[in-house]
Amino acid sequence: MVKKLSKKDTFGDSIDEVIGICTEQDLSLKLSELEKDSKCLIDGLKADVLKKQEEIDLLQKVVEESEETVHSLEKCISELENALGEKDQLVVELKAREKLVNDQKAEFLTSLADTESKLQEAKKQYDHMLESKHLELSKHLKEISQRNDQAINDIRRKYEVEKQEAVNLEKEKADQMIQDVEKKYEQKIEDFKEESQQHLLRVHDEHATLISNMLIKKRDSSLSTLKN
């Protein structure tokens, strides 16, 4: 006689424990193994039924051929009835087993659908979280870009200020140099004017002396001529 199996005897764990730890792939594998075991059991039961049927046929043939006594016939009939009873019992157990397999299959399909629903919900939550992280990252990158732009602008303004200060400093130095050169040349011009004035005075004095000497010589020459 085939022993009936509970859901826990069949899988070693309760349905709730299986759902808690199995992934979608594990559930598919469990379902495939369950169908395989069910098919093997059904085939075995069919083989037993066929074997019993052959025994019944053999008993019937023996009864027809040997014409045994009524006692033997009754015994064969009793054995035949027992075999038929076992057959009916096997058929009943097979149907019960098929119903159990179908119920477990339906339960697993329900659990699989529930698991898929939970996975879809988890995926939605993950996508939402990923989108939020992406927006947060974009905002952070934008803030960094703005700070970088501000820093670059500050550096540029500082450079322009320092550049202008350097230009102004160089301009002041250049103006100072020009003023020094102008003062120097003005002094030289003044010195040259003074030297020119003194030279002019010397030339004037020399010219006056020369004219005076010429006049004296001319006067002496005239006096000498008059005396002669």
Side-chain angles (χ1 to χ4, degrees):
M1 304 294 284
V2 180
K3 182 181 179 181
K4 292 185 178 180
L5 301 176
S6 67
K7 289 188 286 183
K8 191 165 184 179
D9 292 333
T10 302
F11 301 105
D13 293 305
S14 65
I15 296 301
D16 293 336
E17 291 174 338
V18 173
I19 294 174
I21 63 174
C22 288
T23 62
E24 182 178 353
Q25 184 178 4
D26 294 331
L27 292 175
S28 298
L29 290 174
K30 287 286 185 180
L31 183 58
S32 177
E33 291 176 359
L34 180 61
E35 291 176 349
K36 183 177 179 181
D37 294 340
S38 176
K39 186 176 183 302
C40 291
L41 181 59
I42 292 172
D43 291 341
L45 292 174
K46 287 182 178 179
D48 291 339
V49 171
L50 183 60
K51 182 177 179 181
K52 293 297 182 181
Q53 186 64 46
E54 291 175 353
E55 293 177 356
I56 292 171
D57 294 338
L58 181 59
L59 289 173
Q60 289 177 345
K61 185 177 180 181
V62 170
V63 170
E64 292 173 358
E65 290 178 353
S66 63
E67 295 180 353
E68 293 180 348
T69 60
V70 175
H71 178 71
S72 297
L73 183 59
E74 289 177 353
K75 183 179 180 181
C76 289
I77 292 172
S78 177
E79 291 177 356
L80 177 60
E81 289 176 350
N82 290 334
L84 290 174
E86 291 179 0
K87 175 186 175 182
D88 293 337
Q89 182 65 30
L90 289 173
V91 170
V92 171
E93 290 182 359
L94 176 60
K95 290 182 178 180
R97 179 63 177 173
E98 287 179 347
K99 184 177 183 301
L100 177 63
V101 170
N102 290 332
D103 291 343
Q104 290 176 345
K105 181 178 178 180
E107 189 173 355
F108 267 101
L109 290 175
T110 301
S111 300
L112 180 61
D114 183 63
T115 301
E116 289 178 348
S117 177
K118 290 179 179 180
L119 288 174
Q120 289 294 331
E121 182 64 25
K123 184 177 181 300
K124 289 180 181 179
Q125 293 178 359
Y126 175 77
D127 292 339
H128 179 70
M129 181 185 68
L130 187 63
E131 183 179 0
S132 299
K133 292 293 183 181
H134 180 70
L135 293 175
E136 183 179 353
L137 180 61
S138 298
K139 181 180 179 181
H140 183 62
L141 291 175
K142 184 177 180 181
E143 292 176 354
I144 292 176
S145 177
Q146 290 176 349
R147 288 198 297 268
N148 288 339
D149 292 340
Q150 183 65 34
I152 291 172
N153 291 332
D154 293 340
I155 293 173
R156 184 180 288 112
R157 283 194 296 269
K158 183 178 179 181
Y159 170 75
E160 293 295 334
V161 171
E162 292 178 352
K163 179 181 177 182
Q164 187 62 39
E165 290 177 353
V167 169
N168 293 335
L169 181 61
E170 293 297 326
K171 184 177 180 181
E172 290 177 359
K173 290 181 180 180
D175 291 341
Q176 186 63 40
M177 290 177 64
I178 291 172
Q179 291 178 2
D180 293 340
V181 171
E182 287 178 350
K183 289 180 180 180
K184 183 177 180 180
Y185 277 100
E186 287 177 356
Q187 184 64 38
K188 287 185 177 181
I189 291 171
E190 291 296 329
D191 293 342
F192 180 74
K193 285 181 179 180
E194 186 177 354
E195 291 178 357
S196 298
Q197 186 67 29
Q198 291 178 358
H199 180 70
L200 183 61
L201 290 175
R202 287 197 300 271
V203 170
H204 181 71
D205 292 340
E206 291 176 354
H207 185 263
T209 302
L210 180 61
I211 291 174
S212 177
N213 290 333
M214 288 177 65
L215 290 173
I216 291 172
K217 287 181 178 181
K218 185 176 180 181
R219 187 188 62 183
D220 291 342
S221 177
S222 297
L223 289 175
S224 178
T225 302
L226 289 175
K227 288 180 177 181
N228 294 327

